Amino acid sequence: MLDAARKPLVSVRDLKMHFPIYAGLFRRRVGEVKAVDGVSFDVFEGETLGLVGESGCGKSTCGRAVLRLYDITDGSITIEGREIGQTPQPDLRPMRPTMQMVFQDPQASLNPRMTVEDIIKEPLDEHTTLTDAEKREKVGELMDAVGLNRKFAKRYPHAFSGGQRQRIGIARALALNPKFIVCDEPIAALDVSIQAQVVNLLEDLQEQFGLTYLFISHDLSMVRHIATRVAVMYLGKVVELAPREGLYADPLHPYTNALLSAVPEPDPSLARKSERIILQGDVPSPSNPPKGCNFCTRCPSVMDICKEVEPDYREVKPGRFVACHLFNEINDTASQMAGTEDKKSTNKEKTL
Ligand code: SF4
């Protein structure tokens, strides 16, 4: 199995994040939005795992849940060997320096009433006992690292461009020497001309500080550039996970195939032979997902079994995981129909 010798820094197993829906005069609970519904993956030390999918597929919720910004519905999250899935929020405080987040919208994530120095210094105030002079020096070093001029430390966020504001957000995320950073669409709110600069900065910082990223994006071209492996999400589930080269050259899951068919290939000699696949219909509501495979309402390869039985998420080639009946053996499917398979335990033992 690929990566069997490497140890995951982060392991996520059967992660569920369901949000209740209340309605009526007495605000009774009438259902739930299954934003993340049984997601499993590993992130190995020093790698960038890309998490891609359409808007609303649950990828941002997944990133936040992994950092325990939510109290998760179910599942296990292990970071550096420590299980934090069910840890109460106050007890997570000592773990916070290890895991940080870079948010999508730097405009919204930076306090407009604080100077850049105060914004970057805030985590140092919360989690360290450094003196004021040491904190100022650390802020200067962080500004150097992300390519911001130290002279501007006393300015406010509005005085900076979008790309510079994202650099401030990255500097703040780096302040406590984290190991694992969730980058939640970090370039989506930036001009195209600035996007490559920020991605290159993230790559440089990864090399410099030995960082591990979960890089969430809907931009498949950018993920292809930065990610080591890629996980594809659809309607709250990971449907395929594979090393970057394999996924882009030979997508296995019909949804991945459709997504990649829409990505322009600049080199005509490398252009994929297949035609663009236009998916019919809308993404079903995560509060009422279809029976069987989540993708069965739009899948060009749908079979009868897909509408009845949820496909198992399994390793079909070394290092390549997919949840689709096209890759299931007939007897596996039969045993699944009989309800004899314990998916949870299978996933827990695997390296994903
Ligand atoms: Fe399509 Fe069936 Fe595979 Fe789902 S399980 S992706 S519906 S072929």
Side-chain angles (χ1 to χ4, degrees):
M1 184 187 292
L2 192 84
D3 296 318
R6 295 167 67 195
K7 225 172 159 264
L9 180 73
V10 180
S11 285
V12 176
R13 292 294 179 272
D14 276 311
L15 176 65
K16 290 184 183 159
M17 189 63 235
H18 298 174
F19 296 99
I21 305 170
Y22 298 101
L25 192 60
F26 298 106
R27 310 299 297 160
R28 280 182 37 219
R29 185 176 175 143
V30 293
E32 51 193 6
V33 175
K34 296 174 179 174
V36 179
D37 195 24
V39 163
S40 300
F41 58 80
D42 290 324
V43 192
F44 294 98
E45 206 156 346
E47 84 163 342
T48 299
L49 178 69
L51 188 58
V52 301
E54 293 165 287
S55 297
C57 71
K59 52 191 190 305
S60 290
T61 306
C62 181
R64 287 163 190 244
V66 169
L67 292 188
R68 286 295 320 277
L69 301 186
Y70 299 127
D71 285 336
I72 63 172
T73 308
D74 199 7
S76 117
I77 303 163
T78 311
I79 297 187
E80 276 202 303
R82 186 171 163 199
E83 168 61 47
I84 61 163
Q86 304 302 331
T87 307
Q89 289 293 343
D91 298 344
L92 285 170
R93 197 177 146 79
M95 288 291 287
R96 289 281 170 220
T98 308
M99 46 189 197
Q100 291 289 317
M101 187 148 190
V102 174
F103 293 92
Q104 173 176 351
D105 185 354
Q107 174 86 35
S109 63
L110 303 180
N111 187 337
R113 295 169 194 277
M114 291 169 74
T115 64
V116 171
E117 181 177 87
D118 289 340
I119 289 170
I120 301 175
K121 192 161 67 73
E122 201 176 21
L124 300 173
D125 293 335
E126 284 288 318
H127 289 274
T128 72
T129 53
L130 297 177
T131 64
D132 280 351
E134 287 168 333
K135 284 180 199 162
R136 268 197 303 279
E137 180 52 29
K138 177 80 179 171
V139 169
E141 288 169 12
L142 289 164
M143 292 184 74
D144 292 344
V146 299
L148 287 171
N149 194 327
R150 287 183 186 218
K151 280 196 307 200
F152 302 148
K154 296 290 182 196
R155 295 191 181 181
Y156 290 86
H158 67 80
F160 293 85
S161 68
Q164 288 171 325
R165 280 197 288 261
Q166 193 54 293
R167 287 172 191 265
I168 298 168
I170 294 169
R172 180 178 59 182
L174 289 175
L176 297 170
N177 304 320
K179 291 193 169 172
F180 175 57
I181 299 184
V182 173
C183 305
D184 182 13
E185 302 258 17
I187 54 170
L190 304 179
D191 291 344
V192 175
S193 56
I194 307 296
Q195 290 182 349
Q197 290 177 18
V198 172
V199 166
N200 288 342
L201 171 66
L202 287 169
E203 284 183 313
D204 291 346
L205 294 171
Q206 181 172 41
E207 208 177 305
Q208 195 178 342
F209 298 110
L211 300 169
T212 302
Y213 292 143
L214 178 64
F215 189 90
I216 298 167
S217 179
H218 64 273
D219 183 340
L220 288 146
S221 303
M222 202 53 90
V223 168
R224 182 180 199 166
H225 174 77
I226 194 170
T228 324
R229 298 186 305 145
V230 181
V232 181
M233 266 189 94
Y234 182 80
L235 205 59
K237 293 178 187 291
V238 171
V239 295
E240 182 165 0
L241 189 155
R244 172 186 56 187
E245 295 78 14
L247 187 109
Y248 282 84
D250 177 29
L252 298 181
H253 195 281
Y255 178 62
T256 317
N257 208 13
L259 270 188
L260 292 184
S261 76
V263 177
E265 170 59 63
D267 182 348
S269 65
L270 297 176
R272 296 174 70 241
K273 303 272 186 299
S274 59
E275 293 291 307
R276 173 145 189 211
I277 301 164
I278 310 283
L279 293 175
Q280 303 299 322
D282 292 326
V283 181
S285 165
S287 62
N288 186 23
K291 192 178 174 196
C293 172
N294 267 359
F295 191 48
C296 71
T297 53
R298 303 171 81 199
C299 180
S301 312
V302 63
M303 303 172 285
D304 286 344
I305 192 172
C306 308
K307 297 172 187 164
E308 295 296 327
V309 180
E310 186 184 341
D312 194 7
Y313 178 66
R314 63 175 59 205
E315 187 173 32
V316 295
K317 294 181 183 180
R320 300 205 56 172
F321 297 83
V322 64
C324 174
H325 286 306
L326 293 173
F327 300 91
N328 279 6
E329 287 163 24
I330 292 166
N331 54 349
D332 284 340
T333 308
S335 71
Q336 211 183 29
M337 279 182 117
T340 55
E341 192 150 337
D342 184 352
K343 276 193 313 185
K344 255 190 172 174
S345 61
T346 312
N347 271 343
K348 271 189 175 143
E349 287 153 15
K350 276 181 184 168
T351 308
L352 301 171

